[in-house]
Amino acid sequence: MQLSRFSLNVYKHFAEDMEVDGEKPDIGFKQRGYLFLATEKMMPQFEKNMMLQHRNGVDSQLLDIEDLRGLIPELTISDLAGGLYCSESGYLDAYSVMQGYIKYAKHLGAEYIYEEVSDLLIEGQQMKGVRLKNGETCTAPVVVNCGGAWGAQLSEKAGIKFSIVPSPRQIFQFDCEKKLKNYLPLTMDPTGVYFRHEGEQMIAGYSEPIRSDFDFSWRREDFIENVWPPLAHRIPNFERVKIVRGWAGIYDYNTEDHNAIIGQYPKIEGYYVAFGFSGHGMQQAPGVGKGMSELIRKGKYETIDLSPLRPERFAEHQLVIEDAIY
């Protein structure tokens, strides 16, 4: 929550802070809220979640049935008891965020080399740099591996193993015959299916079974079998829809506790990692970048203490369990 709060503030001011030569990046940041729908059985846990969020400065609220109808008039509520809603939450265009950071970093003098890294160069217990796939080497006393789903594989080639697997996730974009009255928050159904507006159309996805694979294909039948039935039940407008397109991406899924692995690897001086986010990397990215910068430059965290997410927590049996992964 601390990471998310920090990152939210960064995204709110991203265009102004990353302005270069009068050009402000447009990251498509829309604060339409997050809404988690709950059955009667789920409500006690949601109340605990809300109290924890309040203690950490998150302005979330429990909604009753009438409140839900106020947000989504078309909602089927017969099997719901309420929901947990945070109006501050939202979504953005991750690619535009990346390009905004790149442009500003270059403005400050950073050099980008667009080549695949094939190997880490380590001598004894000291990081020496990386070897690129084209055979060139880049020497450096500090290397940060933030390779996402590919990061653990690169690390394993150097004999350093992390419990991270590439896990595909699909998103489906569709149009419905009868439009909704309101723009939707990102809404999570008790079934694990989620949906929200994307422009004037809709996108949806679901909690797919974990499978280790670099699979970027999307399957129309997965929408028809796993997503459409819960959608049509929850909002009758979704009974008649047309799939516009779909796409797939890869989670760097941490199989141990579903949270990021951040910090210096204890046995290799100068080797830092930031991966294993399991799907909430963009939500935490600015805070992680800030913390990693402090750790490398000053040897300690100052803004947010990220030490609970240290790589050695697994050997120390100090896991940071995250259950809300979809």
Side-chain angles (χ1 to χ4, degrees), residues 184-200:
L184 295 181
L186 189 147
T187 305
M188 179 66 69
D189 192 71
T191 59
V193 169
Y194 63 88
F195 51 91
R196 67 165 172 83
H197 268 91
E198 177 70 13
E200 295 302 315

Side-chain angles (χ1 to χ4, degrees), residues 271-282:
Y271 182 40
Y272 295 80
V273 300
F275 48 36
F277 288 89
S278 304
H280 47 276
M282 282 305 299

Side-chain angles (χ1 to χ4, degrees), residues 262 286-296 300-301 303-304 306:
I262 302 168
V288 172
K290 179 69 170 176
M292 187 68 76
S293 172
E294 292 171 349
L295 184 63
I296 293 171
K300 61 180 181 178
Y301 296 116
T303 305
I304 304 173
L306 302 183

Side-chain angles (χ1 to χ4, degrees), residues 87-276:
S87 61
E88 281 189 300
S89 299
Y91 49 88
L92 44 72
D93 178 8
Y95 182 80
S96 295
V97 171
M98 180 183 70
Q99 292 300 323
Y101 273 129
I102 289 173
K103 187 172 183 178
Y104 198 81
K106 288 181 176 179
H107 172 70
L108 295 176
E111 179 185 359
Y112 277 74
I113 300 173
Y114 295 94
E115 294 287 346
E116 183 178 344
V117 175
S118 61
D119 295 284
L120 302 172
L121 301 178
I122 301 171
E123 292 182 10
Q125 295 183 321
Q126 177 65 52
M127 176 59 66
K128 293 297 183 181
V130 297
R131 179 178 293 108
L132 306 181
K133 196 171 183 179
N134 63 12
E136 296 179 5
T137 60
C138 298
T139 58
V142 171
V143 169
V144 181
N145 183 346
C146 50
W150 294 263
Q153 290 188 343
L154 178 63
S155 192
E156 191 168 356
K157 291 177 70 175
I160 305 168
K161 186 171 176 57
F162 292 95
S163 296
I164 296 173
V165 298
S167 184
R169 287 291 188 277
Q170 299 175 80
I171 299 271
F172 308 92
Q173 185 169 345
F174 62 93
D175 204 355
C176 53
E177 188 175 75
K178 187 177 180 181
K179 303 297 182 183
L180 300 178
K181 292 182 180 179
N182 301 334
Y183 280 106
L184 295 181
L186 189 147
T187 305
M188 179 66 69
D189 192 71
T191 59
V193 169
Y194 63 88
F195 51 91
R196 67 165 172 83
H197 268 91
E198 177 70 13
E200 295 302 315
Q201 296 178 332
M202 308 294 302
I203 62 171
Y206 71 109
S207 303
E208 300 183 49
I210 301 303
R211 55 188 175 93
S212 180
D213 191 9
F214 286 101
D215 183 2
F216 287 92
S217 62
W218 68 277
R219 291 168 288 278
R220 185 178 297 266
E221 55 268 28
D222 281 347
F223 176 85
I224 295 171
E225 295 173 7
N226 300 306
V227 178
W228 194 12
L231 285 178
H233 166 70
R234 189 57 60 208
I235 297 182
N237 302 51
F238 293 160
E239 291 178 359
R240 296 177 64 84
V241 302
K242 178 182 179 181
I243 299 177
V244 177
R245 65 186 181 122
W247 64 95
I250 308 293
Y251 278 10
D252 47 334
Y253 190 86
N254 175 358
T255 60
E256 293 288 325
D257 63 7
H258 314 150
N259 264 308
I261 305 172
I262 302 168
Q264 179 170 270
Y265 185 71
K267 297 180 181 179
I268 306 295
E269 184 70 26
Y271 182 40
Y272 295 80
V273 300
F275 48 36

Side-chain angles (χ1 to χ4, degrees), residues 69-90:
R69 274 281 174 80
L71 279 177
I72 309 176
E74 302 86 354
L75 199 68
T76 298
I77 58 174
S78 57
D79 56 344
L80 298 177
L84 183 60
Y85 176 65
C86 179
S87 61
E88 281 189 300
S89 299

